[in-house]
Amino acid sequence: MTQRDRWLLFGTRGLRMFAFGSVSVVLVLSLRAAGLSDQQVGLLLTLTLAGDLVVSLLVTSVADRVGRRRMLLVGAVLMIASGIVFTITRDFVWLMIAATVGVLSPSDKEVGPFLALEQAGLSQLVTDERRTTWFAWYNLVGSFAAAIGALCGGILAQTMLRSGAAGSAVYQPIFVGYATIGVALLIGFWNLSYSIEPPAIASVPVVSETADTLPVKRTWFGLHQSRGVVLRLSALFMLDAFGGGFIVQSLLAYWFQRRFGLDLASLGTLFFVANLLAAGSSLVAARLAQRFGLLNTIVFTHLPSNVLLLLIPLMPNCSWAVAVLLLRFSISQMDVPTRQSYTMSVVSPDERSAAAGITTVVRSLGAAAAPMIAGYLLAREDLADVPFFIAGSVKIIYDLWLFAAFRKTRS
């Protein structure tokens, strides 16, 4: 069942990221078309990320005890609910409820409990030596799917606009597709075997050489002996995510439309190419990690990408801004599979869901406040570029701090 489970996890990852990518390009534009102000949009995006925090923490903290597969099914149901609400209404109150309780991504990045649970499950299905490579392919599939989703979302919205649709109706089919993909995820997760579960639950042996089947008392959100290192990593990941929250893909698309007048199809194409570049960088990251180590790869690929982020609003025209954005995307995601693998390497197998969940949750917490602040900045013409400067500066501080804190820690 191991190989079948790997294919299922890669398939659910691809479907989900396609859905997130398609929505990310049009989410802010659809909310503005529905009559929401920039401030309301920023608040809604913040609630989306904050709600993801609570849901993810609740789900992942119990997953290693009650079952990862069951919790993945819960996540799929919440994703379906979000898609349905955003399809049938543009009432701000209902949208806030759906954004807070459900699973909806304002960027091409993961939200909800899926990533943490799938990472933990995949770690049970591969050897420790091959984990980073598998995570690289896993992220490549996600980035490629998000790229296709962004392209399709932009083209579909532009097609609806040309066919005579107006207002929020332009974007309604995209949310219908989002809910439909949630149903497909539900089916996929249902067919997973117990091989993805931790040793205490799984009915088959795991591949990892470090598996410890002895029952251990959990003391804090599913963690025991790894609590200290997870807390330190979480604090740093929160800082990184706070910076990234100022330039989520939905806000980037909105900024490019306002600054340079790019239409929906052009935005979809731009982020299609950007995500393709990010996808290819995942495999390069795995090779770099084998040669230079996980931590060095995380830090020294992330630093230059954040310098490029600072430069985007300083570019004299659209062509230069797009070129710098694409250059940044070509290296900005190299830290993702290495960061994920590093986290899995410093905790025991029966803490992996909890560790991945907590680090994912605090990233959501860090990112949650940023879109609301960015919304207020974007509402003012003279401050519209400030989110780039905040994001780049904060993320550079994170890189330097992470290296200083963990350079002596063996993975």
Side-chain angles (χ1 to χ4, degrees), residues 4-351:
R4 178 171 172 268
D5 287 327
R6 289 175 190 159
W7 281 111
L8 280 172
L9 289 176
F10 273 62
T12 54
R13 165 76 166 176
L15 284 172
R16 188 170 63 253
M17 294 306 295
F18 177 89
F20 290 165
S22 65
V23 167
S24 69
V25 174
V26 303
L27 179 58
V28 172
L29 299 174
S30 71
L31 295 174
R32 292 290 287 121
L36 275 65
S37 67
D38 286 338
Q39 291 85 351
Q40 286 178 315
V41 170
L43 175 60
L44 194 67
L45 296 185
T46 289
L47 291 175
T48 298
L49 296 169
D52 167 58
L53 181 155
V54 176
V55 170
S56 297
L57 184 60
L58 291 175
V59 168
T60 58
S61 63
V62 302
D64 284 346
R65 296 195 295 277
V66 304
R68 294 165 180 164
R69 175 176 169 272
R70 290 177 180 175
M71 294 298 99
L72 285 167
L73 291 171
V74 170
V77 170
L78 294 175
M79 182 174 171
I80 295 168
S82 294
I84 291 174
V85 171
F86 272 75
T87 298
I88 65 177
T89 183
R90 285 296 179 266
D91 181 83
F92 183 60
V93 174
W94 280 107
L95 293 176
M96 282 198 303
I97 294 173
T100 304
V101 179
V103 174
L104 188 72
S105 178
S107 71
D108 62 329
K109 305 298 188 296
E110 280 274 14
V111 296
F114 304 112
L115 179 63
L117 299 179
E118 288 185 349
Q119 283 178 13
L122 188 59
S123 294
Q124 300 298 129
L125 304 174
V126 301
T127 62
D128 292 344
E129 291 78 9
R130 297 285 295 168
R131 183 177 54 240
T132 303
T133 299
W134 277 99
F135 276 15
W137 280 102
Y138 174 82
N139 282 282
L140 183 146
V141 168
S143 295
F144 184 78
I148 299 295
L151 179 66
C152 291
I155 291 176
L156 179 57
Q158 188 70 26
T159 301
M160 291 291 295
L161 196 62
R162 289 174 178 171
S163 68
S168 58
V170 172
Y171 310 99
Q172 194 173 36
I174 298 171
F175 291 103
V176 172
Y178 187 87
T180 303
I181 289 175
V183 175
L185 291 180
L186 194 69
I187 297 171
F189 293 142
W190 183 267
N191 284 283
L192 288 170
S193 77
Y194 283 99
S195 298
I196 70 163
E197 306 291 358
I201 296 178
S203 58
V204 296
V206 297
V207 179
S208 175
E209 298 172 359
T210 61
D212 181 6
T213 59
L214 295 177
V216 181
K217 182 179 180 181
R218 293 167 177 82
T219 59
W220 188 78
F221 290 112
L223 295 176
H224 42 89
Q225 65 188 26
S226 304
R227 181 169 60 177
V229 69
V230 171
L231 286 176
R232 284 187 290 152
L233 284 171
S234 297
L236 287 163
F237 292 168
M238 181 186 296
L239 181 65
D240 177 46
F242 175 72
F246 283 90
I247 41 95
V248 295
Q249 189 159 291
S250 295
L251 293 176
L252 277 176
Y254 183 50
W255 183 85
F256 269 94
Q257 186 193 57
R258 282 185 53 180
R259 169 64 71 86
F260 300 114
L262 295 183
D263 61 25
L264 293 168
S266 297
L267 288 171
T269 302
L270 170 60
F271 288 104
F272 167 71
V273 176
N275 283 288
L276 281 184
L277 292 172
S281 71
S282 294
L283 294 184
V284 177
R287 293 180 178 272
L288 290 175
Q290 291 174 354
R291 181 171 181 179
F292 299 109
L294 291 171
L295 184 63
N296 288 335
T297 304
I298 294 171
V299 173
F300 295 110
T301 60
H302 206 226
L303 263 173
S305 76
N306 295 323
V307 173
L308 291 170
L309 180 61
L310 293 170
L311 297 177
I312 291 173
L314 302 178
M315 293 298 101
N317 54 49
C318 183
S319 298
W320 276 100
V322 167
V324 174
L325 178 72
L326 294 180
L327 182 58
R328 178 182 184 268
F329 265 85
S330 69
I331 58 175
S332 66
Q333 297 302 299
M334 287 187 183
D335 71 305
V336 176
T338 45
R339 184 186 68 231
Q340 294 166 352
S341 183
Y342 185 79
T343 303
M344 295 295 98
S345 73
V346 296
V347 302
S348 59
D350 65 331
E351 295 177 284

